[in-house]
Amino acid sequence: MKRLLVLDRDYPFKDIRNKNIEIIVVALRVNLKKQLLEAGYNVVACFDEEYNKLPIADIPKNYLKHSWDSDRFLKRYAYEKRLEILGKEISFWKNVFDKYKPDAILNEVVTMEFMEVMYNEAKIKNIKYFCPCPSFFLPLTFWLKTPFDTYVPSAVWDNVLPNEFDYERARKLIADNSNRYLRPSYVPAQTPSLVKDTIRGFENFKNCLIEIIKNKIAGTFYYENSLEYVYDSLKICYNRLMHSHDSIKWDSNTEYILYPLHFEPEAVVEYWGYYFNDQTRIIGQIAHSLSTNQILIIKEHPQQIGVLLTKKYRMLKQRFCNIKFVSGDVSSFEICKKVSSVITLNGTIGMEFWMRQKPVIVLGNVFFRDFPGITKVQSVEQLQNVIRNHKYDVADLKTIELYVAKVYHYFFEMEFRAFIKNDEIAVLSDKIEEKMKEL
C-alpha cells in the first residue's frame, strides 16, 4: 500500500478513498486538527501546535523561490522573525518526512511559504508532489509540472493529438463562447449584495479576532492570521458605499485595451506572476506604455466587486488620466465587443478573447501562454512596443479549434474546486491511483 500525504486546507484531498492508498493528513491550524480528528481523519502533525518546540534549522542559500515576499500571511513579521519561522518550517517538514515516509504528496499549487518548504524538502527526499489544477474556464482539471504556475510548454502541446470527440467539444465551445458569456463556476450568478457582504465581513472579522485571542492565550503560533484580509474586505464594502465606478463614453476614435483584475490576495498574482506580482504596478506600467489615443479599461474580478474603489486604486486614477474602472459585475462578453485587445497576467479571460480572435497579451505563466496567437511579454520595454505598434498575432479559427481540442484531450473531466461532489472525488481517487502507479 502506498502512503499519500495531504495538507488539509480547503480542498478535499483527505476524502480520497482507495484500497491501495493510505492517506495521512497534516494540519496547519490547531482548531483544524481537532475538527479533523473528531471526523476520524488520520492527522499525523500540526505546525501551529508544534511550533514552539521546533528547533530552528539552518536555511540553505537561495532556499526560497517566491515566498519571501509572496506569502500573504507572513508579511506582517519582521526579518528576524521570518528567519525563525522559515527555520522551524524546515524542521517541521524534515521531521514529518523522516517519521512517516510518504510515497507522495497531493496538494494544491503553492500558495504560502509553508507549502514551498514542503515542496523543497520533499524534493530533497525524492518524494513526488502531485498537483492537480482546474482550468478555471472549463469543468476540467490537469496535472501541473510544477506547483508554482500552470504553464504547459509548447513542446507538450505539440505532442497532444486530439480525437474527433475532442474536436466536437472544441467546436461547440468556440461557438458558445462567440455567442454568449460563459460564466465560470466561481463567478456568482448575481451581483453580491453590499449589505450581505458587510454583515459577512463583520462576522468574519469577529471570528478572526476570537481565533487570534484564543491562540494568544494558549501561547500558540497562528500562521493563517487573516485579520488584514478580512479588514480589507470591510474597507471594500465601505468604498462601495462611498464611491462609484466610471461611466465610460465609448469613442470610435479611441482604442480601448482591457486589463482584468485578479482576485487578491491570491497565488495567481503573488506566485504565478513572478516579476509581475503587483497589480497596481502592472496597471501603472501598462498606462505608462499607452499612446495618446489609447485608454486602459480595468475590470474588477467578479468575486471582488468594489476593490477598484479602494484608496490604492483611486490614487492610480489621480496619477494616470488614461485609465477607467469598470465594476466586476459587467460582462466580459460585452466588454470584448468594445476593446481592441486584452492584457492579462494569468486570467483565463485571455482564452475567452483568444477564441474570439482578439489580440491577447500574457504577462504570466498560464497554460495557454504558448498557444499560437498569444503574445507573451516579459519586459516593460516589450510591453510598450507591443501595445503602441500592435506587435501581436491573431490565430486563425482552424488553429484555435486545434488547440481547444488539445486542451480537452490533455485535461481530464472534473470540476476541481474546494467543495466537490462525491462522483468528482471518485474521479480524483482514480486519477491519483494512476499517478501513484508511476512511482
Short mmCIF file of all heavy atoms in Angstrom, two decimals, residues 171-197:
data_model
loop_
_atom_site.label_atom_id
_atom_site.label_comp_id
_atom_site.label_asym_id
_atom_site.label_seq_id
_atom_site.Cartn_x
_atom_site.Cartn_y
_atom_site.Cartn_z
N ARG A 171 -15.38 22.63 -31.08
CA ARG A 171 -16.23 23.44 -31.97
C ARG A 171 -17.43 24.01 -31.21
O ARG A 171 -17.82 25.16 -31.42
CB ARG A 171 -16.69 22.59 -33.17
CG ARG A 171 -15.58 22.34 -34.20
CD ARG A 171 -16.13 21.69 -35.46
NE ARG A 171 -16.45 20.29 -35.25
CZ ARG A 171 -15.61 19.28 -35.49
NH1 ARG A 171 -14.37 19.53 -35.91
NH2 ARG A 171 -15.99 18.03 -35.29
N LYS A 172 -18.01 23.19 -30.34
CA LYS A 172 -19.17 23.67 -29.56
C LYS A 172 -18.76 24.80 -28.62
O LYS A 172 -19.46 25.82 -28.51
CB LYS A 172 -19.78 22.52 -28.76
CG LYS A 172 -21.04 22.92 -28.00
CD LYS A 172 -21.62 21.74 -27.23
CE LYS A 172 -22.95 22.12 -26.57
NZ LYS A 172 -22.87 23.32 -25.74
N LEU A 173 -17.63 24.64 -27.95
CA LEU A 173 -17.17 25.66 -27.01
C LEU A 173 -16.88 26.97 -27.74
O LEU A 173 -17.27 28.05 -27.28
CB LEU A 173 -15.92 25.19 -26.27
CG LEU A 173 -15.31 26.21 -25.31
CD1 LEU A 173 -16.26 26.51 -24.16
CD2 LEU A 173 -13.97 25.72 -24.78
N ILE A 174 -16.21 26.89 -28.87
CA ILE A 174 -15.88 28.10 -29.63
C ILE A 174 -17.14 28.82 -30.09
O ILE A 174 -17.24 30.04 -29.99
CB ILE A 174 -14.98 27.74 -30.84
CG1 ILE A 174 -13.62 27.24 -30.35
CG2 ILE A 174 -14.79 28.94 -31.76
CD1 ILE A 174 -12.78 26.57 -31.43
N ALA A 175 -18.12 28.05 -30.55
CA ALA A 175 -19.40 28.64 -30.98
C ALA A 175 -20.13 29.28 -29.80
O ALA A 175 -20.63 30.41 -29.90
CB ALA A 175 -20.27 27.58 -31.64
N ASP A 176 -20.20 28.57 -28.68
CA ASP A 176 -20.87 29.11 -27.49
C ASP A 176 -20.17 30.37 -27.00
O ASP A 176 -20.82 31.36 -26.63
CB ASP A 176 -20.90 28.07 -26.38
CG ASP A 176 -21.86 26.92 -26.66
OD1 ASP A 176 -22.69 27.07 -27.58
OD2 ASP A 176 -21.77 25.89 -25.97
N ASN A 177 -18.85 30.34 -26.97
CA ASN A 177 -18.07 31.48 -26.49
C ASN A 177 -18.23 32.70 -27.39
O ASN A 177 -18.15 33.84 -26.94
CB ASN A 177 -16.59 31.09 -26.40
CG ASN A 177 -15.73 32.18 -25.82
OD1 ASN A 177 -15.83 32.52 -24.65
ND2 ASN A 177 -14.86 32.75 -26.65
N SER A 178 -18.50 32.46 -28.68
CA SER A 178 -18.68 33.57 -29.62
C SER A 178 -20.04 34.23 -29.49
O SER A 178 -20.21 35.40 -29.84
CB SER A 178 -18.51 33.06 -31.06
OG SER A 178 -17.21 32.56 -31.28
N ASN A 179 -21.02 33.47 -28.94
CA ASN A 179 -22.40 33.95 -28.92
C ASN A 179 -22.88 34.45 -27.57
O ASN A 179 -23.87 35.18 -27.49
CB ASN A 179 -23.35 32.84 -29.39
CG ASN A 179 -23.10 32.46 -30.84
OD1 ASN A 179 -22.83 33.32 -31.68
ND2 ASN A 179 -23.18 31.17 -31.14
N ARG A 180 -22.18 34.07 -26.51
CA ARG A 180 -22.65 34.47 -25.18
C ARG A 180 -21.53 34.36 -24.16
O ARG A 180 -20.47 33.80 -24.43
CB ARG A 180 -23.82 33.58 -24.73
CG ARG A 180 -23.48 32.10 -24.62
CD ARG A 180 -24.70 31.25 -24.32
NE ARG A 180 -24.42 29.83 -24.34
CZ ARG A 180 -23.99 29.13 -23.28
NH1 ARG A 180 -23.82 29.74 -22.12
NH2 ARG A 180 -23.76 27.83 -23.37
N TYR A 181 -21.78 34.92 -22.98
CA TYR A 181 -20.82 34.86 -21.89
C TYR A 181 -20.91 33.50 -21.21
O TYR A 181 -21.98 33.09 -20.76
CB TYR A 181 -21.10 35.97 -20.87
CG TYR A 181 -20.29 35.88 -19.61
CD1 TYR A 181 -18.89 35.83 -19.66
CD2 TYR A 181 -20.91 35.87 -18.36
CE1 TYR A 181 -18.14 35.76 -18.50
CE2 TYR A 181 -20.17 35.82 -17.18
CZ TYR A 181 -18.79 35.76 -17.27
OH TYR A 181 -18.04 35.69 -16.11
N LEU A 182 -19.80 32.80 -21.14
CA LEU A 182 -19.75 31.50 -20.47
C LEU A 182 -19.25 31.73 -19.05
O LEU A 182 -18.05 31.88 -18.82
CB LEU A 182 -18.83 30.55 -21.24
CG LEU A 182 -19.22 30.29 -22.69
CD1 LEU A 182 -18.23 29.32 -23.34
CD2 LEU A 182 -20.63 29.73 -22.80
N ARG A 183 -20.15 31.76 -18.12
CA ARG A 183 -19.81 32.09 -16.74
C ARG A 183 -19.08 30.93 -16.05
O ARG A 183 -19.63 29.84 -15.92
CB ARG A 183 -21.08 32.43 -15.95
CG ARG A 183 -20.83 32.84 -14.51
CD ARG A 183 -22.12 33.29 -13.83
NE ARG A 183 -23.11 32.23 -13.79
CZ ARG A 183 -23.17 31.30 -12.83
NH1 ARG A 183 -22.29 31.33 -11.84
NH2 ARG A 183 -24.10 30.38 -12.85
N PRO A 184 -17.83 31.17 -15.60
CA PRO A 184 -17.13 30.13 -14.83
C PRO A 184 -17.87 29.83 -13.53
O PRO A 184 -18.61 30.68 -13.02
CB PRO A 184 -15.75 30.76 -14.56
CG PRO A 184 -15.61 31.84 -15.59
CD PRO A 184 -17.00 32.35 -15.83
N SER A 185 -17.64 28.66 -12.97
CA SER A 185 -18.38 28.24 -11.78
C SER A 185 -18.11 29.13 -10.57
O SER A 185 -18.95 29.24 -9.68
CB SER A 185 -18.01 26.79 -11.44
OG SER A 185 -16.62 26.67 -11.19
N TYR A 186 -16.93 29.77 -10.51
CA TYR A 186 -16.60 30.58 -9.34
C TYR A 186 -17.23 31.98 -9.40
O TYR A 186 -17.20 32.73 -8.42
CB TYR A 186 -15.08 30.72 -9.18
CG TYR A 186 -14.38 31.37 -10.36
CD1 TYR A 186 -14.34 32.75 -10.52
CD2 TYR A 186 -13.75 30.59 -11.33
CE1 TYR A 186 -13.71 33.34 -11.59
CE2 TYR A 186 -13.12 31.16 -12.41
CZ TYR A 186 -13.09 32.54 -12.53
OH TYR A 186 -12.46 33.11 -13.61
N VAL A 187 -17.78 32.35 -10.55
CA VAL A 187 -18.39 33.67 -10.70
C VAL A 187 -19.83 33.63 -10.22
O VAL A 187 -20.61 32.80 -10.69
CB VAL A 187 -18.34 34.14 -12.17
CG1 VAL A 187 -19.08 35.47 -12.33
CG2 VAL A 187 -16.89 34.27 -12.64
N PRO A 188 -20.21 34.50 -9.27
CA PRO A 188 -21.59 34.49 -8.77
C PRO A 188 -22.59 34.85 -9.87
O PRO A 188 -22.32 35.68 -10.73
CB PRO A 188 -21.57 35.55 -7.66
CG PRO A 188 -20.38 36.42 -7.96
CD PRO A 188 -19.38 35.53 -8.62
N ALA A 189 -23.74 34.19 -9.84
CA ALA A 189 -24.77 34.44 -10.85
C ALA A 189 -25.39 35.81 -10.70
O ALA A 189 -25.86 36.40 -11.67
CB ALA A 189 -25.85 33.35 -10.75
N GLN A 190 -25.39 36.35 -9.47
CA GLN A 190 -25.95 37.67 -9.22
C GLN A 190 -24.91 38.54 -8.52
O GLN A 190 -24.01 38.04 -7.83
CB GLN A 190 -27.20 37.57 -8.35
CG GLN A 190 -28.35 36.82 -9.01
CD GLN A 190 -29.57 36.72 -8.10
OE1 GLN A 190 -29.45 36.74 -6.89
NE2 GLN A 190 -30.75 36.64 -8.71
N THR A 191 -25.03 39.85 -8.69
CA THR A 191 -24.11 40.78 -8.05
C THR A 191 -24.24 40.65 -6.53
O THR A 191 -25.35 40.70 -5.99
CB THR A 191 -24.43 42.23 -8.45
OG1 THR A 191 -24.34 42.34 -9.87
CG2 THR A 191 -23.44 43.19 -7.81
N PRO A 192 -23.13 40.45 -5.82
CA PRO A 192 -23.19 40.30 -4.36
C PRO A 192 -23.82 41.53 -3.70
O PRO A 192 -23.55 42.66 -4.07
CB PRO A 192 -21.72 40.16 -3.97
CG PRO A 192 -21.02 39.69 -5.20
CD PRO A 192 -21.76 40.32 -6.34
N SER A 193 -24.67 41.28 -2.74
CA SER A 193 -25.34 42.35 -2.01
C SER A 193 -24.35 43.06 -1.08
O SER A 193 -23.61 42.41 -0.33
CB SER A 193 -26.50 41.78 -1.19
OG SER A 193 -26.90 42.67 -0.19
N LEU A 194 -24.33 44.39 -1.15
CA LEU A 194 -23.45 45.16 -0.27
C LEU A 194 -23.79 44.91 1.19
O LEU A 194 -22.90 44.77 2.04
CB LEU A 194 -23.56 46.65 -0.60
CG LEU A 194 -22.78 47.62 0.29
CD1 LEU A 194 -21.29 47.28 0.29
CD2 LEU A 194 -23.00 49.06 -0.16
N VAL A 195 -25.07 44.84 1.50
CA VAL A 195 -25.49 44.60 2.89
C VAL A 195 -25.02 43.24 3.37
O VAL A 195 -24.44 43.10 4.45
CB VAL A 195 -27.03 44.71 3.01
CG1 VAL A 195 -27.48 44.31 4.42
CG2 VAL A 195 -27.49 46.12 2.68
N LYS A 196 -25.25 42.21 2.54
CA LYS A 196 -24.84 40.85 2.93
C LYS A 196 -23.32 40.74 3.04
O LYS A 196 -22.80 40.08 3.95
CB LYS A 196 -25.37 39.83 1.91
CG LYS A 196 -26.88 39.64 1.97
CD LYS A 196 -27.35 38.59 0.97
CE LYS A 196 -28.85 38.37 1.05
NZ LYS A 196 -29.32 37.36 0.06
N ASP A 197 -22.61 41.37 2.10
CA ASP A 197 -21.14 41.34 2.15
C ASP A 197 -20.63 42.03 3.41
O ASP A 197 -19.66 41.57 4.02
CB ASP A 197 -20.56 42.01 0.91
CG ASP A 197 -20.56 41.10 -0.31
OD1 ASP A 197 -20.94 39.92 -0.16
OD2 ASP A 197 -20.18 41.57 -1.40
#
